[in-house]
Amino acid sequence: MSIRLRLTLWYVLLLAVILVTFSGALYTILAFSLRDEVDRTLQTRAAEVQNGADAALQVQSDIRGFLERGRLFLPAADVFATPGIYVQITGTDGTALSRSVNLSDQVLVIPSAVLDRANQGDSTLTNLTTAQVTLRAFVAPLNARGHIVGVIVVAQSLQSVNDTLQRLATLLGFGIVGGLAFAAVVGALLARGALAPIDHMTQSARGIASAGDLTRRVEQPKTQDEVGRLAATFNEMLARIEELFRAQQRFVADMSHELRSPLTAIRGNLDLLRRGAFENVDERNVSLAAIDSESARMQRMVQDLLLLAQADAGITIEKRVVELDTLLLDVYRQARLIAGGVKVTLGAEDQAQVLGDPDRLKQLFLNLMDNAIKYTPSGGEVTLSLERDTEGVRVAVTDTGVGIPPQDLAKIFDRFYRVDKARARVPASLGLRADGTGGGTGLGLAIVKWIVDAHDGKIDVKSEVGKGSTFTVSLPLAKK
C-alpha cells in the first residue's frame, strides 16, 4: 500500500470518526430535547386539569357527600385537549370518566402497575400503544381536597418526533457519506500533490543509480519544508558518496602505483641475478639489498593499511596513564638516529600525564618527527616541545623544511596523499635530502590523524613554503 493511499485512508478514517461522533451526539441531544419537550408539555397539561378540578370543587360545598355517593362534577377533558394532545380522566378503577373529543372512540388503557402507582399518589411517564400508534403519556392522580378521586391521563403521539429524528438521521447519513467521498477525493489530490516531489526525487535517484553518475543531484524544491530538507540531505549524501567513491578510486590507483614501484624494482633485480649478477659478489649484494629494501617498504605499507583498516572497523584503544614527557624523550632519541644531517632539538619540556596507548602515542610522534626530518634540508632543524596548561597538553613538532602550500594543507591527512608532490615544486636550491622524496608510503599522516582522534585530541598544522611547518597535537590531561 502506497504512502499516498495510506494518508488518504487515514484522513478519511479520521474524518469519519469525527463526523459519526458529531452526528451521533447531535442526534442524541436532539432526540432527548424533543422527548423532554413532550414530557414537559404533558406535565403542564396534567397540571391544568388538576387546577380545573380544584376550581370546580370550589362550588361544591358537600364534597364529603359527593365522594360517598361517587358523584363529583369535574370539568370536561376536552377543554384541555389540543389536536396533538389527548386527555382522559378515569376513575380509580381505570374506567374512563371523561375523554377529549380527539380520542374519538379510543380509550387510553392504563397498565395496572401504572394505575396502582397513581392510586398511591405517584405520577408516571410511560408509553402507550393505541391503534398501532405509540403515545407518550403522563399519568397522575386526581386529587380532591386531599383525596384521590381519579386518574389524569395526558398523552401525545410521538410520530412527529420520530419523523423528525428519522429525517435528521437520513440527512446526517447522506451528509457523512457525501462528506467522506468528497474528503477521499480531496485527500487523494492533496496527498498526490504533497508527495509529488518525493516521487520526482525517487525517479531522479533511480536514474542516478542506473546511470552510475554520482555527479548528478536531485532537484531541490524551493520551499524549505520537510521535502526540501529531505532533498538537501539526499544531495549531501550523494556528495559524500561521490567523495568516498572518488577517494576509493584514488586509493586503488595510488595503491597500485605504490606497489608497482617496489615490485618493478624487485623483479628488475631478480632479472639481473638470473642474467649473471648472482656470480658477481658486489652486484649480488646490491641487488639483494635493493630487494630487501623494497620488500621492507611493502611490508610497512601493508602494516599501515592493516592498521587503518582496523581503525575503520572501529578498533578500540586500551588507555592507561602515560608519562608523556618520558615518552617524548624516547621519541627524541630515536629521531636523532634517523636525522642524518638534520639537527633535532628539544624545546619546552613540561611534565604531563595523559590517558592513552603508549605504543600508539609513540607511533604518532615518531611519524611526525620522521615526516619533519624527511622534508627538512640538510643543515635544517627539527624541534620537539611539550607544553602543559590547565586545559591539556600541546606537543609541537616544528621544522625548518620546505613547507606545505596552503592549497594542500587540507589534504595532507588523506590516505596516499603524497606531500612530496607538492613540495617537489619547491626550488632545488633548498637542498632537499635525497632520502626525503619518494621514501614514504603516503599513509603516515593518515595514521597520525586516526591516533589523535582515538585519544580525543586534535591536530593543527601551520606552514609556510620555504620556511617550515609546525604540527601541534593537543591532548587532554589524565584525570586524577
Side-chain angles (χ1 to χ4, degrees), residues 10 31 46 114 129 134 137 139 141 176 181 222 239 273 290 313 435 455 467 475:
W10 275 110
V114 176
T129 302
T134 301
V139 181
I176 291 174
K222 297 180 180 179
L273 291 175
D435 60 350
H455 286 80
K467 294 186 178 181
L475 297 174

Side-chain angles (χ1 to χ4, degrees), residues 338-415:
I338 61 174
V342 177
K343 182 181 179 181
V344 178
T345 61
L346 282 175
E349 301 180 52
D350 294 342
Q351 292 184 341
Q353 291 182 336
V354 298
L355 195 63
D357 185 331
D359 293 333
R360 297 303 180 198
L361 290 174
K362 186 175 182 180
Q363 183 181 13
L364 158 65
F365 297 116
L366 277 175
N367 281 359
L368 290 178
M369 292 295 291
D370 178 70
N371 187 73
I373 292 171
K374 184 183 301 180
Y375 295 106
T376 300
S378 298
E381 183 178 356
V382 174
T383 303
L384 176 65
S385 61
L386 168 63
E387 295 182 353
R388 171 182 173 176
D389 55 27
T390 56
E391 297 181 357
V393 296
R394 294 189 304 275
V395 179
V397 176
T398 304
D399 65 65
T400 59
V402 297
I404 305 171
Q407 66 271 19
D408 294 321
L409 285 176
K411 304 176 183 178
I412 58 175
F413 295 106
D414 294 345
R415 299 175 187 182

Side-chain angles (χ1 to χ4, degrees), residues 184-249:
V185 174
V186 174
L189 293 176
L190 291 176
R192 180 178 181 181
L195 297 177
I198 297 181
D199 288 338
H200 183 68
M201 289 172 54
T202 302
Q203 295 173 3
S204 300
R206 185 178 293 112
I208 293 172
S210 59
D213 185 5
L214 295 178
T215 60
R216 293 172 53 184
R217 298 292 182 266
V218 299
E219 184 178 351
Q220 188 170 341
K222 297 180 180 179
T223 57
Q224 293 300 319
D225 54 6
E226 289 81 357
V227 177
R229 292 195 295 271
L230 175 62
T233 303
F234 191 78
N235 284 334
E236 292 175 1
M237 182 185 66
L238 282 177
R240 179 58 177 164
I241 293 175
E242 180 185 7
E243 180 183 351
L244 293 175
F245 182 72
R246 302 304 178 202
Q248 184 184 33
Q249 288 181 322

Side-chain angles (χ1 to χ4, degrees), residues 56-135:
L57 292 174
Q58 297 298 326
V59 299
Q60 302 181 45
S61 58
D62 189 11
I63 182 63
R64 185 176 298 278
F66 284 124
L67 291 174
E68 290 174 353
R69 292 190 294 274
R71 299 177 60 192
L72 181 64
F73 297 100
L74 294 175
D78 195 56
V79 175
F80 306 99
T82 59
I85 298 179
Y86 310 100
V87 180
Q88 176 178 294
I89 300 176
T90 66
T92 56
D93 58 355
T95 304
L97 301 178
S98 176
R99 290 179 297 169
S100 57
V101 175
N102 55 7
L103 278 174
S104 185
D105 58 348
Q106 299 293 325
V107 177
L108 299 178
V109 180
I110 307 173
S112 57
V114 176
L115 182 63
D116 292 341
R117 292 189 61 183
N119 290 329
Q120 295 175 6
D122 296 331
S123 300
T124 305
L125 284 166
T126 186
N127 291 334
L128 304 177
T129 302
T130 301
Q132 305 301 320
V133 177
T134 301
L135 302 176

